[in-house]
Amino acid sequence: MIKRYGNRLIALTGNVKSTLSHSSDVSLDVCVKEEACPLGLAPTASTTAVLALGDALAIALMEEKGFRRRISPFFTLAEP
């Protein structure tokens, strides 16, 4: 559905051979060697890695596009 509207898709995935990865315009590998959970069940390290990369991408795009609060009052309303 994202691509139907002409948007490009960036995937953050731990499996570069996944369907999501192959369907994306850009796929970023966020694979972690092992999770912090001793049972390997809770996605601890992987969720942290995705969050960090997502934040870094958001900041880089904000700087690249010249995003400022005064330009986007809706962002200010949604900001806690």
Side-chain angles (χ1 to χ4, degrees):
M1 178 165 252
I2 291 172
K3 288 189 170 190
R4 272 190 227 153
Y5 288 103
N7 298 305
R8 295 184 12 186
L9 179 62
I10 300 173
L12 282 64
T13 178
N15 181 0
V16 294
K17 296 180 180 178
S18 69
T19 302
L20 174 62
S21 183
H22 288 292
S23 300
S24 302
D25 297 296
V26 176
S27 181
L28 301 174
D29 185 5
V30 193
C31 184
V32 296
K33 197 168 192 173
E34 75 180 72
E35 298 291 352
C37 173
L39 300 176
L41 300 173
T44 49
S46 57
T47 55
T48 301
V50 169
L51 183 62
L53 184 54
D55 284 351
L57 285 171
I59 298 302
L61 287 171
M62 287 173 69
E63 289 178 358
E64 177 69 23
K65 297 291 184 180
F67 185 90
R68 302 285 180 264
R69 280 183 187 257
R70 71 181 185 288
I71 294 173
S72 181
F74 298 107
F75 180 78
T76 305
L77 291 173
E79 177 89 16

